[in-house]
Amino acid sequence: MATEVMTGGGPELKRAGPVGRLFQFLRDVRNELRKVTWPTFDELKKATTVIVIFVTILGIAIGLMDAFFQWMFVTMVARLF
């Protein structure tokens, strides 16, 4: 079974032309998407909230580090001259 998935479905694909392989690929994609367990709306809201909070905190941390290093380097360069 795993061999069929890895090779793309068997020997019938080797006889098919580019258009046949394209349609087989699209059928395989559709079949794989049917196997996906999609999140519920509540799970999606929670995950989105966590991501937005994390990105906000990370952005603030990077902004503070940037401001600190800018201040530090500008001060050091000013002392040199």
Side-chain angles (χ1 to χ4, degrees):
M1 183 165 161
T3 305
E4 292 174 8
V5 173
M6 294 297 289
T7 60
E12 69 275 355
L13 284 180
K14 292 179 182 174
R15 288 182 260 143
V19 175
R21 287 194 306 263
L22 174 65
F23 283 126
Q24 181 62 42
F25 172 75
L26 294 175
R27 278 193 291 270
D28 291 342
V29 168
R30 183 185 64 202
N31 290 335
E32 288 299 320
L33 284 175
R34 288 181 179 165
K35 295 177 188 177
V36 173
T37 303
W38 298 101
T40 64
F41 187 68
D42 287 335
E43 292 171 339
L44 187 64
K45 285 193 306 188
K46 288 177 186 176
T48 303
T49 302
V50 168
I51 291 169
V52 167
I53 290 171
F54 177 76
V55 168
T56 303
I57 291 171
L58 191 61
I60 290 170
I62 290 172
L64 289 174
M65 286 189 300
D66 179 53
F68 171 73
F69 286 124
Q70 180 181 358
W71 170 79
M72 186 174 71
F73 289 127
V74 166
T75 303
M76 286 181 167
V77 170
R79 288 184 183 174
L80 291 175
F81 295 107

